[in-house]
Amino acid sequence: MSKGRLEAFSDAVIAILITIMVLELRVPHGADAAALRPLLPVFLTYVLSFVFLGIYWNNHHHMFQAVDRINGRILWANLHLLFWLSLVPFVTGWMGENHFAPLPTAVYGVVLLLAGVAYTILQNAIIAHHGPRSRLAEAVGEDTKGKLSVALYAAAIPLAFFREWISDAIYVFVALMWLAPDPRIESKLDGP
Amino acid sequence: MSKGRLEAFSDAVIAILITIMVLELRVPHGADAAALRPLLPVFLTYVLSFVFLGIYWNNHHHMFQAVDRINGRILWANLHLLFWLSLVPFVTGWMGENHFAPLPTAVYGVVLLLAGVAYTILQNAIIAHHGPRSRLAEAVGEDTKGKLSVALYAAAIPLAFFREWISDAIYVFVALMWLAPDPRIESKLDGP
Amino acid sequence: MSKGRLEAFSDAVIAILITIMVLELRVPHGADAAALRPLLPVFLTYVLSFVFLGIYWNNHHHMFQAVDRINGRILWANLHLLFWLSLVPFVTGWMGENHFAPLPTAVYGVVLLLAGVAYTILQNAIIAHHGPRSRLAEAVGEDTKGKLSVALYAAAIPLAFFREWISDAIYVFVALMWLAPDPRIESKLDGP
Amino acid sequence: MSKGRLEAFSDAVIAILITIMVLELRVPHGADAAALRPLLPVFLTYVLSFVFLGIYWNNHHHMFQAVDRINGRILWANLHLLFWLSLVPFVTGWMGENHFAPLPTAVYGVVLLLAGVAYTILQNAIIAHHGPRSRLAEAVGEDTKGKLSVALYAAAIPLAFFREWISDAIYVFVALMWLAPDPRIESKLDGP
């Protein structure tokens, strides 16, 4: 089985998710700065989720460059990842409209956590199909960054009920960790 | 005629359908757990429909790997399938918002039934174009799973007016039947 | 310039248009047959517009199979066609929600007419780039079907203010004309 | 790293943006000409933004024809461009619904300005990766048109608070500048 359609389908789904989020930025009725102000938290969560979906697309792109062939398990592991990503616009809108309240902030973390776990499952399914000596297996290695991200999401969820800004800071930190220039990123292939 | 654009167009349509369904999960105004509770049935139908569209994309992908060339009849049989799939977000939203009431549950089954029939028509159009000794014809064989699915949908429609949970259980059963690991699925190509 | 991305972009736009129309089928609040009844005209216009967009995609697909190379004029002629097609969901919703009232029925015809003209302009731009002896020029020939469609749309617009059902019948007739099996369609390439 | 998926992803995002804008053209309840009249400014901004996104897609298409390979920096520069373009539907709707009021007109210019800057950053990232003697570097040259566009957007922003029609005229002028036949456009590759 060739990987072309899986990539095209994933590209289309992520492209749609990254753009329908902007529909939560509802056009205000007024034409002055006061009309824009309530949109600020929605805009900030939009930026954060845009970056997260961008990171996923980026890592998906990198990972599949090392994929030679796919099977049914990889197809479903990929759909499973897309399922959790498809909830990002919903939790983004919920967190933004409620100005980073505790529960929406925690649920945002749950979706990021499950997307991260789904990415790891997909990565493992690909490695299982290509063998432990494949290019991908070597590039992933210990997958420190991926494991650290999942651990940070898991910590952010309960912390949202204590001080929600700590959770928000963790989300921003994980995003920056993946955005920061990484000398290995061109040669190694990591998960989020 | 090459199959590339037909695949790309189908991928795009199914990707859009699978993601616009999530727009039915409207962002609630409250920020507590009570605000999320009414969304539960909508979420459950979203999961079910996500899996159904995933199965269709999966099977479409498998089937077209055995396709060498297409004609006008195949193009239209494919658009016919996409038409019924395009109604999935509507019936998903209707069933979810009405908490699995009898009529929406039955109409959900009608759309699944007609999508299943459309898939069979597409499969037959491809086999007619490639010949009874083609790879696809041999892989489809008796198409037991496809026929059983259509029969189960047909049974679920009237049963929705008797006990709607039976119909819902049938939909879940058909989805699981296609999701379950199938030793033949990598070598054989079936319709839903 | 290669045609790959122009095809991919057109596929994506038409796929989105054909699916966002279904968002006009708003999920009703009631769960009985009475709740579905007001959706009937919206559903009928959805079917009609789905078929029209399907015909455009089909013809676009056929036409570009005969295209070897593109230029800036073809790119813009294609975007011009996509612009008029992008208005189809709007006029579909307007005609459906107003139960085929005269003005929406006429405006629907205006958009179909301008899309038909845009298709002809695109076809001419391609023929100008490939020469009068190209495969496409020979396949198009007199383009009787294309000219007849445009003439019928032009007639349907004023007729909508006299008897709107005549215009609706004309739209259905043009759609059937393109749907009907055409012995030349596999060998010849026509515009809508 | 191959450029195929970056192109496909960008095509999908721009295709979605260009079509979801039409959702701001809300179907009116009345069926007469009076019902259409309030939509006129929304329609005009839709046309303007459709042309701008068309220009971006066109230039992106041209530019990437000269791209041989990509790296992480190019991927992120491209996502950065898509981010600003993703705000076009929002500012289009805001400007249209407020009949070209000063602040929405200025904010429209801000998004166009930042998209123009993002395009230049992307162009520079590609040139840095391909070298100053690459085809793209030679085609871009002084990039007069790109620099002029950015300067005009920068001028239009404050002018919106003085006479908004001047800013609107500038936006139309920049669009026409890119639409006008350019003898170099087939051989040279410019940014917007």
Side-chain angles (χ1 to χ4, degrees):
Chain A
M1 257 198 276
S2 74
K3 65 179 178 178
R5 276 188 79 181
L6 185 147
E7 290 181 329
F9 186 73
S10 308
D11 284 353
V13 169
I14 299 175
I16 297 158
L17 293 173
I18 221 169
T19 39
I20 63 173
M21 277 194 304
V22 92
L23 296 177
E24 280 299 318
L25 272 178
R26 292 190 206 293
V27 173
H29 288 295
D32 50 4
L36 279 188
R37 207 159 306 137
L39 288 175
L40 189 66
V42 183
F43 180 73
L44 289 179
T45 49
Y46 173 61
V47 174
L48 185 63
S49 296
F50 190 99
V51 170
F52 269 117
L53 287 173
I55 290 168
Y56 270 100
W57 179 74
N58 223 323
N59 289 339
H60 195 276
H61 180 148
H62 276 81
M63 183 162 70
F64 272 85
Q65 295 220 311
V67 167
D68 299 315
R69 55 192 188 282
I70 58 171
N71 59 8
R73 198 180 143 205
I74 294 171
L75 280 179
W76 280 107
N78 191 59
L79 278 165
H80 177 236
L81 169 63
L82 294 178
F83 175 76
W84 292 113
L85 294 182
S86 81
L87 296 179
V88 168
F90 172 77
V91 293
T92 301
W94 200 37
M95 186 164 80
E97 288 196 11
N98 290 290
H99 298 206
F100 305 93
L103 185 64
T105 303
V107 171
Y108 189 83
V110 170
V111 167
L112 287 185
L113 174 66
L114 292 170
V117 170
Y119 192 90
T120 307
I121 292 172
L122 172 60
Q123 196 170 261
N124 292 343
I126 295 171
I127 291 175
H129 194 48
H130 287 70
R133 292 173 161 250
S134 60
R135 267 189 304 155
L136 182 66
E138 283 177 22
V140 169
E142 293 294 314
D143 193 18
T144 323
K145 223 166 164 180
K147 283 174 188 158
L148 182 59
S149 304
V150 166
L152 284 169
Y153 295 145
I157 297 166
L159 283 169
F161 299 101
F162 174 64
R163 293 276 187 276
E164 57 261 38
W165 66 264
I166 301 182
S167 307
D168 296 325
I170 289 174
Y171 303 149
V172 172
F173 174 78
V174 175
L176 291 176
M177 187 173 84
W178 286 99
L179 274 174
D182 179 349
R184 305 166 311 162
I185 206 148
E186 301 295 292
S187 50
K188 282 211 180 184
L189 306 153
D190 288 330
Chain B
M1 259 199 276
S2 74
K3 65 179 178 176
R5 277 189 78 180
L6 185 147
E7 290 182 330
F9 186 73
S10 308
D11 284 354
V13 170
I14 299 175
I16 298 158
L17 293 173
I18 221 168
T19 38
I20 63 173
M21 278 195 303
V22 92
L23 296 178
E24 280 299 319
L25 272 178
R26 293 190 205 293
V27 172
H29 288 295
D32 51 3
L36 279 188
R37 208 159 305 137
L39 288 176
L40 190 67
V42 182
F43 180 72
L44 289 178
T45 49
Y46 172 60
V47 174
L48 185 63
S49 295
F50 190 99
V51 170
F52 269 117
L53 287 173
I55 290 168
Y56 270 100
W57 179 74
N58 222 324
N59 289 338
H60 195 276
H61 180 149
H62 275 81
M63 183 162 70
F64 271 86
Q65 296 221 309
V67 168
D68 299 315
R69 56 192 187 281
I70 58 170
N71 59 7
R73 198 179 142 204
I74 293 171
L75 280 181
W76 279 108
N78 192 58
L79 278 166
H80 178 235
L81 169 63
L82 294 178
F83 175 76
W84 292 113
L85 293 182
S86 82
L87 296 178
V88 167
F90 173 76
V91 294
T92 301
W94 200 37
M95 187 164 79
E97 287 196 11
N98 289 290
H99 299 207
F100 306 93
L103 185 64
T105 303
V107 171
Y108 189 84
V110 169
V111 167
L112 287 185
L113 174 66
L114 292 170
V117 169
Y119 192 91
T120 308
I121 292 172
L122 173 59
Q123 196 170 261
N124 292 343
I126 295 171
I127 291 175
H129 194 48
H130 287 70
R133 291 172 162 252
S134 60
R135 269 189 303 155
L136 182 66
E138 282 178 22
V140 169
E142 292 294 315
D143 193 18
T144 323
K145 224 166 163 180
K147 283 175 189 156
L148 182 58
S149 304
V150 167
L152 284 168
Y153 295 145
I157 297 166
L159 283 168
F161 299 100
F162 175 63
R163 292 276 187 279
E164 57 261 39
W165 66 264
I166 301 182
S167 307
D168 296 325
I170 290 174
Y171 303 149
V172 173
F173 174 77
V174 175
L176 290 176
M177 187 173 86
W178 287 99
L179 273 176
D182 180 349
R184 305 166 310 162
I185 205 146
E186 301 296 292
S187 49
K188 283 212 179 184
L189 307 153
D190 288 329
Chain C
M1 258 200 276
S2 75
K3 65 180 178 177
R5 276 189 79 180
L6 185 147
E7 290 182 330
F9 186 73
S10 308
D11 284 354
V13 170
I14 300 175
I16 297 160
L17 292 173
I18 220 169
T19 38
I20 63 173
M21 278 194 304
V22 92
L23 296 177
E24 280 299 319
L25 273 178
R26 292 188 207 292
V27 172
H29 287 294
D32 51 3
L36 279 188
R37 208 160 304 138
L39 287 176
L40 190 66
V42 182
F43 180 73
L44 289 179
T45 48
Y46 173 60
V47 174
L48 184 63
S49 295
F50 189 99
V51 170
F52 269 116
L53 286 174
I55 290 168
Y56 270 100
W57 179 74
N58 223 323
N59 289 339
H60 195 276
H61 180 148
H62 276 81
M63 183 162 69
F64 271 84
Q65 296 221 308
V67 168
D68 299 315
R69 57 193 187 280
I70 59 171
N71 58 8
R73 198 178 142 204
I74 293 171
L75 280 180
W76 279 107
N78 192 58
L79 277 165
H80 178 235
L81 169 63
L82 294 178
F83 175 77
W84 292 112
L85 294 182
S86 82
L87 296 179
V88 168
F90 173 77
V91 294
T92 301
W94 200 37
M95 186 164 80
E97 286 195 12
N98 290 291
H99 299 207
F100 304 93
L103 185 63
T105 303
V107 171
Y108 189 84
V110 169
V111 168
L112 287 184
L113 174 66
L114 291 170
V117 169
Y119 192 91
T120 307
I121 292 171
L122 173 60
Q123 196 170 260
N124 292 344
I126 295 171
I127 292 175
H129 194 48
H130 287 70
R133 291 175 161 250
S134 61
R135 270 189 303 154
L136 182 66
E138 282 177 22
V140 169
E142 293 295 315
D143 193 18
T144 323
K145 225 166 162 180
K147 283 175 188 157
L148 183 58
S149 304
V150 167
L152 284 169
Y153 295 145
I157 297 167
L159 283 169
F161 299 100
F162 175 63
R163 292 274 187 280
E164 58 261 37
W165 66 263
I166 302 181
S167 306
D168 296 324
I170 290 174
Y171 303 148
V172 173
F173 174 78
V174 175
L176 291 176
M177 187 173 84
W178 286 99
L179 273 175
D182 179 348
R184 305 166 310 163
I185 205 148
E186 300 295 293
S187 50
K188 284 212 181 185
L189 305 153
D190 289 330
Chain D
M1 256 199 277
S2 75
K3 65 180 179 178
R5 276 189 80 180
L6 185 148
E7 289 181 331
F9 186 73
S10 308
D11 284 354
V13 170
I14 299 175
I16 296 159
L17 292 173
I18 221 169
T19 38
I20 63 173
M21 277 194 304
V22 91
L23 296 177
E24 280 298 319
L25 273 177
R26 293 191 205 292
V27 173
H29 288 294
D32 50 4
L36 279 188
R37 207 159 306 137
L39 287 175
L40 190 65
V42 182
F43 180 73
L44 289 179
T45 48
Y46 173 61
V47 174
L48 185 62
S49 296
F50 189 99
V51 170
F52 269 116
L53 287 173
I55 289 168
Y56 270 100
W57 180 75
N58 223 322
N59 289 339
H60 195 276
H61 180 149
H62 276 80
M63 183 162 68
F64 272 84
Q65 295 220 310
V67 168
D68 299 316
R69 56 193 186 281
I70 58 171
N71 59 7
R73 197 179 144 204
I74 293 171
L75 280 180
W76 279 107
N78 191 59
L79 279 165
H80 178 235
L81 169 63
L82 294 178
F83 175 77
W84 292 113
L85 294 181
S86 81
L87 295 178
V88 168
F90 172 77
V91 292
T92 301
W94 200 37
M95 186 164 79
E97 287 196 12
N98 289 291
H99 298 207
F100 305 93
L103 184 64
T105 303
V107 171
Y108 190 83
V110 169
V111 168
L112 287 184
L113 174 65
L114 292 170
V117 169
Y119 192 91
T120 307
I121 292 172
L122 172 60
Q123 196 170 261
N124 292 343
I126 296 171
I127 291 174
H129 194 48
H130 286 70
R133 294 177 158 249
S134 61
R135 267 190 304 155
L136 182 65
E138 283 178 21
V140 168
E142 293 294 315
D143 193 18
T144 324
K145 224 166 163 180
K147 283 175 188 157
L148 182 59
S149 304
V150 167
L152 284 168
Y153 295 146
I157 297 167
L159 284 169
F161 298 100
F162 174 64
R163 293 275 188 278
E164 58 261 38
W165 66 263
I166 302 182
S167 307
D168 297 325
I170 290 174
Y171 303 148
V172 173
F173 174 78
V174 174
L176 291 177
M177 187 172 84
W178 286 99
L179 273 175
D182 178 350
R184 305 166 311 163
I185 206 148
E186 301 295 294
S187 49
K188 283 212 180 184
L189 305 154
D190 289 329

